[in-house]
Amino acid sequence: MRFGKTLRQSVYAPWKENYIDYGKLKSILREDHDDDDEPWTEDDENRFCDEIFNTQLEKVARFQEEKVKGLRERADAAFDKLKGLSTTEDGKPKPKSDADVQPLKDLESELDNITNEVKQLQKYSNLNYTGFLKIIKKHDRKRGDRYKIRPMMQVSLSKRPFNSEQAYSPMLNKLSLMYFAIRQQLEENGPAEAYPLDPDSQAETHNGERYTAHKFWVHPDNLLEVKTYILRRLPNLVYSQQAAKEVDGNEDPTITSLYFDSAKFPLYSKKVEREGEASSLRLRWYGQLSSKPDIFLEQKVLHENGSSEEHKFVIKEKYIKPFIDGEYKMEKSVQKMERQGQSAKDVEEFQSTADAIQEFIQQNKLEPLIRANYVRTAFQKPGDDRVRISIDTDIAFIREDTLDRSRPCRDPQDWHRTDIDNGDMTYPFKNINQSEVSRFPYAVLEIKLKEDSNRKRPGWVQDLIGSHLVHPSPRFSKFVHGVASLFEDYVNRLPFWLSDLDTDIRKDPQVAFEEEEERRALRAENEQVVGSFLGTKLGSYKPSKSSPVAKSYLSERVAAESAAAAASPRPETAVNGENGGAAEEGRRDYGTLSSIFPGFSLSKYAKARRAREAAAAMPEGVVEPTEWIKNSGPLQIEPKVWLANERTFLRWQHICVLLGGLAISLYTAAGKGTVAEWMGIGYILIAVFSGCWGYYTLHWRRSMIVARSGKDFDSMVGPLVISGALMLALVLNFVFAYRAAFGKGGNGGGGNEGHDGNTTLFVGDL
């Protein structure tokens, strides 16, 4: 189906005038003129660019921004209504009555209206985003000989992230909490879940256990740091020969997933549009197919509430094609299970799963369409599945379709590409047509947390999720991304995360910390309101101290509210923060040595900050923290820190030995020369000071390291004293040598008498 027809069928009637005018852009582009003899001039190009950038893009972005603002205001108003409703008296639940229930039902109806409009706005954003990319592709294909504007459009779209899910996350989080609170009161048997689901995560079911999945992108520059951070908490999961026959435990396994769909891409469309009961189907195996690994046929179903479940079974390679064609019903596997004495329930469950998947294939006319190949590194404690982490790298997507019958990528009589599997090709797959390959530029990190009664995350996991090392992409799907990147001409909806591929996902550590701190504080504030409404406590929040220039949004808000209440006493709050200038200075020094050792920074910002720190007094009611969070826990110091301190000490001792050797040589060779003796003594004193200073700085810096002090490690006293003393000695030595040479020439004497005369002259001069 052409995109223009899809756009007309998908328009939300109340917003009809605010969609991209795709027909007008095609008319300006003269797309419908097959025999276009009229040349495309610079005026035509200016007209097209002005229409798409200054008119259509601005119209869509402005409308989306206004709607998001309006929806946020409606959500905040609903939240204020919830604050005004009370379900407790003196900390105890009130008995329900019709007068209490009706306002809750009205509020739930308002939330339904807001949620439905959010869904429509997401579809609106996605449809317009796809339209801009489609028309730009048409332009570059038809008029790209002289003008290519796709890069400029990608930059413009990245500056107006109306297709990004991050714009909706805070609002969805607030709606989720309000739904949770209302349903707690309206449902007699209690809600299905004990706690509202985080909009930035997905619920999954594996082997009857429920998990919360979080997905992120990791830039290659941050990949090693992420892996080492995880390895400190979780061991690397070693795959056995049974799990992957060619993996010997020394290397991470290569995983191949072969995804199914049909020529009209119905599975892809349902996943992109987030329709209820959206399914994906794939064949998955570890290592090379030539090593005869176990092959899993898996169906993943995504429910409307955001949760998902998976059904799978093992199938032999020779039975895959007959099973897809409906000629084989897994009879031999069932017979084998019966011979092994497995229970009738297990056999029946296996047969029902196989029949359901086969029926699903036949009804939707599915066939292998795209291959995803990647290397997986997994982390998990043996026997403990509460935290499961995987990192997928070297991700490549390869076409496996037969859509073009004249030039199929795969033999229609086979279920996979034999040129890849028989040739044992590996990443980056340079031996096949490069137009059939798409390589993903980042690694994909997935964290699965087993749900418990309070759904509390481990602290180190929370720190990783909120750090600058990862870029959240909660709805990312390899299947969806592979189709969008390789079959762009065949589909009329594109996923929202494509715009993020054109931006640098790396972040400043301090900025990322402050954003996560504010996000957590806002969520904690919402949870506090809902908890007071229900008469319970939801979650917990403590301002983090992990950054010396971090701001705690919640702490500042509580302090401001406390100051406004004159009657109540002012709480003593330990503030761990700096003003905006310090944060700005931290951002300026990011990536330099001064960001690691602040005392090394000699910039005007650092000097001004030190002056403020020295002169500033703590505000009334605020006390200085007794211990930073970075100072808590066992002492862990990297060896290079100790070695750097010892290396500095050895340098000072080297200077001491050199000066001492020079001083002893002067003193012993002086003979009766009184000046030379005094110069030797002076150099000895400088050498002694150098040795003592090195010993002092060794122990002084060692004590600072052990105490995890944030003070400066540099000290200018010792080097200045030694430099000044050496300079003075050298000047005096030159002066005396000059006078000795001048006196010898003036007296005209020689031998021992002249020498005695010179000595007498030096002593008299001194």
Side-chain angles (χ1 to χ4, degrees):
M1 183 186 297
R2 292 182 175 273
F3 178 76
K5 186 176 180 181
T6 301
L7 179 62
R8 290 192 297 271
Q9 294 178 352
S10 305
V11 164
Y12 182 51
W15 302 344
K16 182 178 180 180
E17 301 301 324
N18 296 286
Y19 283 81
I20 179 177
D21 195 339
Y22 194 75
K24 183 177 181 180
L25 291 172
K26 286 181 63 178
S27 175
I28 297 175
L29 192 58
R30 301 203 290 268
E31 173 68 16
D32 297 330
H33 295 74
D34 295 331
D35 298 329
D36 190 5
D37 297 331
E38 185 179 352
W40 183 260
T41 64
E42 187 173 348
D43 292 338
D44 295 329
E45 182 67 21
N46 291 336
R47 182 187 174 200
F48 178 82
C49 291
D50 181 70
E51 179 66 27
I52 193 171
F53 287 106
N54 299 332
T55 303
Q56 300 297 328
L57 184 59
E58 289 296 334
K59 176 182 68 175
V60 172
R62 183 171 58 252
F63 178 78
Q64 193 268 350
E65 184 179 353
E66 292 174 355
K67 294 303 295 185
V68 168
K69 182 179 179 181
L71 289 171
R72 284 176 179 169
E73 292 175 352
R74 290 171 60 185
D76 292 339
F79 200 68
D80 292 336
K81 290 181 182 178
L82 185 67
K83 291 181 182 179
L85 301 176
S86 177
T87 61
T88 60
E89 285 183 351
D90 299 329
K92 298 180 180 180
K94 291 194 309 184
K96 294 182 181 179
S97 63
D98 293 339
D100 296 327
V101 170
Q102 188 58 42
L104 293 176
K105 290 183 177 180
D106 295 340
L107 187 57
E108 184 180 28
S109 177
E110 172 64 13
L111 294 183
D112 290 339
N113 294 334
I114 296 174
T115 304
N116 291 333
E117 197 158 335
V118 170
K119 291 180 180 179
Q120 290 294 339
L121 187 59
Q122 288 178 327
K123 292 180 180 179
Y124 167 88
S125 301
N126 178 268
L127 200 61
N128 285 281
Y129 175 79
T130 305
F132 284 118
L133 293 184
K134 288 281 186 181
I135 196 64
I136 286 299
K137 187 172 183 179
K138 288 180 181 293
H139 170 277
D140 288 357
R141 184 172 57 229
K142 191 176 182 68
R143 311 297 179 187
D145 295 339
R146 296 178 58 191
Y147 309 99
K148 287 187 182 294
I149 61 175
R150 185 181 179 93
M152 187 163 56
M153 173 57 72
Q154 290 173 335
V155 172
S156 299
L157 290 174
S158 64
K159 291 181 179 179
R160 302 171 177 85
F162 57 82
N163 196 43
S164 172
E165 192 164 84
Q166 300 302 318
Y168 304 97
S169 291
M171 181 169 50
L172 293 176
N173 174 54
K174 183 171 289 189
L175 292 173
S176 175
L177 286 170
M178 286 191 284
Y179 269 122
F180 170 73
I182 292 173
R183 287 170 181 169
Q184 278 276 66
Q185 298 299 315
L186 295 181
E187 296 182 8
E188 295 181 358
N189 297 327
E193 295 185 5
Y195 194 74
L197 182 67
D198 190 343
D200 294 334
S201 64
Q202 286 182 303
E204 297 183 358
T205 302
H206 298 279
N207 300 324
E209 300 286 351
R210 288 178 60 83
Y211 291 85
T212 303
H214 306 262
K215 293 183 181 179
F216 305 90
W217 294 350
V218 181
H219 194 279
D221 292 352
N222 298 329
L223 183 58
L224 181 60
E225 187 172 355
V226 171
K227 286 186 176 181
T228 54
Y229 179 86
I230 298 172
L231 279 172
R232 294 190 183 102
R233 282 87 181 175
L234 293 179
N236 193 355
L237 181 62
V238 178
Y239 288 78
S240 64
Q241 294 285 346
Q242 290 75 18
K245 293 183 178 179
E246 76 166 22
V247 181
D248 58 5
N250 296 324
E251 296 180 358
D252 295 324
T254 299
I255 301 179
T256 301
S257 296
L258 206 60
Y259 291 97
F260 287 68
D261 211 333
S262 67
K264 294 184 178 180
F265 297 89
L267 303 188
Y268 167 85
S269 299
K270 286 185 177 181
K271 286 186 72 72
V272 172
E273 296 174 11
R274 302 182 195 174
E275 295 182 6
E277 308 305 316
S279 298
S280 61
L281 186 68
R282 68 177 179 179
L283 288 163
R284 177 175 59 87
W285 65 88
Y286 292 87
Q288 296 293 342
L289 195 61
S290 58
S291 63
K292 305 298 181 183
D294 292 335
I295 301 176
F296 298 87
L297 183 57
E298 303 173 338
Q299 181 186 17
K300 188 174 183 180
V301 182
L302 182 63
H303 299 295
E304 192 171 0
N305 61 358
S307 63
S308 65
E309 59 179 334
E310 192 174 67
H311 308 284
K312 64 180 179 180
F313 61 89
V314 179
I315 184 172
K316 290 186 177 180
E317 179 182 352
K318 61 182 179 180
Y319 296 134
I320 293 177
K321 182 62 175 176
F323 182 85
I324 295 174
D325 295 338
E327 301 171 358
Y328 176 66
K329 304 289 185 181
M330 302 300 296
E331 300 94 344
K332 294 187 177 181
S333 297
V334 172
Q335 295 171 4
K336 182 179 179 180
M337 294 175 67
E338 291 175 345
R339 287 196 306 268
Q340 292 175 346
Q342 297 191 28
S343 65
K345 181 180 178 182
D346 292 340
V347 175
E348 183 181 356
E349 184 178 350
F350 175 86
Q351 185 67 67
S352 62
T353 300
D355 292 343
I357 292 179
Q358 189 174 54
E359 183 181 2
F360 179 70
I361 294 174
Q362 297 298 316
Q363 287 180 352
N364 294 277
K365 299 180 180 180
L366 303 180
E367 61 181 20
L369 200 72
I370 191 168
R371 174 189 299 238
N373 185 275
Y374 48 93
V375 176
R376 170 159 292 181
T377 306
F379 305 89
Q380 181 181 335
K381 290 182 180 179
D384 185 355
D385 59 352
R386 290 177 297 176
V387 180
R388 300 165 55 188
I389 298 179
S390 65
I391 300 178
D392 297 336
T393 55
D394 295 344
I395 303 175
F397 302 98
I398 305 172
R399 291 183 58 164
E400 294 263 347
D401 64 282
T402 59
L403 298 179
D404 186 354
R405 296 297 179 179
S406 61
R407 299 178 60 186
C409 299
R410 164 180 56 84
D411 184 357
Q413 303 303 319
D414 210 337
W415 62 273
H416 67 109
R417 290 185 62 158
T418 55
D419 59 334
I420 296 177
D421 294 322
N422 293 348
D424 291 342
M425 292 187 189
T426 57
Y427 187 88
F429 300 97
K430 293 184 177 180
N431 296 331
I432 62 176
N433 188 343
Q434 293 303 294
S435 64
E436 300 172 359
V437 183
S438 175
R439 299 173 187 87
F440 191 67
Y442 306 122
V444 176
L445 168 69
E446 185 171 11
I447 303 175
K448 293 183 179 179
L449 304 175
K450 194 173 184 179
E451 293 186 1
D452 52 22
S453 58
N454 57 7
R455 294 173 69 168
K456 188 175 182 180
R457 298 172 182 168
W460 65 272
V461 173
Q462 181 65 43
D463 292 340
L464 177 61
I465 290 175
S467 71
H468 68 287
L469 301 174
V470 297
H471 175 77
S473 185
R475 310 294 177 184
F476 178 76
S477 165
K478 295 186 181 72
F479 166 57
V480 172
H481 184 83
V483 172
S485 58
L486 291 174
F487 298 92
E488 185 177 346
D489 292 336
Y490 292 84
V491 296
N492 292 323
R493 293 290 179 92
L494 298 176
F496 64 87
W497 61 75
L498 285 183
S499 58
D500 293 338
L501 292 176
D502 303 317
T503 61
D504 188 355
I505 64 172
R506 291 171 293 184
K507 309 176 212 173
D508 186 300
Q510 180 58 36
V511 174
F513 173 83
E514 292 175 353
E515 291 176 351
E516 175 64 14
E517 177 81 351
E518 183 173 352
R519 189 188 70 82
R520 289 176 56 206
L522 289 172
R523 180 175 176 84
E525 180 185 0
N526 296 336
E527 290 174 344
Q528 186 178 10
V529 173
V530 173
S532 63
F533 172 77
L534 297 174
T536 60
K537 182 179 180 181
L538 289 180
S540 60
Y541 171 75
K542 293 181 180 179
S544 175
K545 294 184 180 181
S546 60
S547 175
V549 292
K551 294 181 181 179
S552 173
Y553 170 83
L554 193 58
S555 296
E556 292 178 356
R557 186 177 183 280
V558 170
E561 291 179 352
S562 301
S568 59
R570 185 183 302 271
E572 291 189 351
T573 307
V575 176
N576 178 23
E578 300 276 352
N579 55 22
E584 176 66 22
E585 197 273 328
R587 286 191 288 271
R588 288 174 180 270
D589 287 343
Y590 168 61
T592 64
L593 186 62
S594 60
S595 64
I596 304 173
F597 298 109
F600 288 167
S601 177
L602 299 178
S603 66
K604 62 180 182 180
Y605 301 99
K607 293 178 180 178
R609 183 181 57 133
R610 294 190 191 113
R612 288 195 302 270
E613 290 175 349
M618 299 299 291
E620 182 182 357
V622 179
V623 296
E624 186 176 359
T626 57
E627 184 180 21
W628 298 96
I629 193 171
K630 67 181 181 65
N631 295 340
S632 60
L635 180 65
Q636 295 180 348
I637 301 174
E638 295 186 11
K640 64 181 181 181
V641 178
W642 292 109
L643 295 176
N645 191 29
E646 293 178 359
R647 186 164 57 248
T648 306
F649 169 73
L650 294 177
R651 291 288 186 182
W652 280 112
Q653 301 312 304
H654 181 65
I655 295 174
C656 175
V657 172
L658 288 178
L659 291 177
L662 174 64
I664 292 175
S665 299
L666 286 174
Y667 189 82
T668 55
K672 295 182 180 180
T674 306
V675 175
E677 291 180 357
W678 282 106
M679 292 299 300
I681 293 173
Y683 281 118
I684 289 176
L685 293 177
I686 297 175
V688 170
F689 178 82
S690 174
C692 294
W693 178 258
Y695 183 79
Y696 165 74
T697 54
L698 172 70
H699 288 272
W700 170 60
R701 287 175 177 166
R702 181 185 181 279
S703 62
M704 293 180 66
I705 293 172
V706 172
R708 291 181 277 205
S709 173
K711 298 180 180 179
D712 295 345
F713 279 75
D714 53 341
S715 179
M716 305 296 291
V717 177
L720 288 177
V721 170
I722 293 177
S723 300
L726 285 175
M727 183 64 68
L728 179 62
L730 290 174
V731 170
L732 291 176
N733 199 1
F734 174 78
V735 171
F736 292 145
Y738 177 80
R739 288 186 176 182
F742 179 78
K744 181 177 180 179
N747 292 333
N752 293 333
E753 296 176 355
H755 178 75
D756 293 341
N758 288 338
T759 303
T760 304
L761 177 63
F762 283 131
V763 172
D765 290 341
L766 288 172

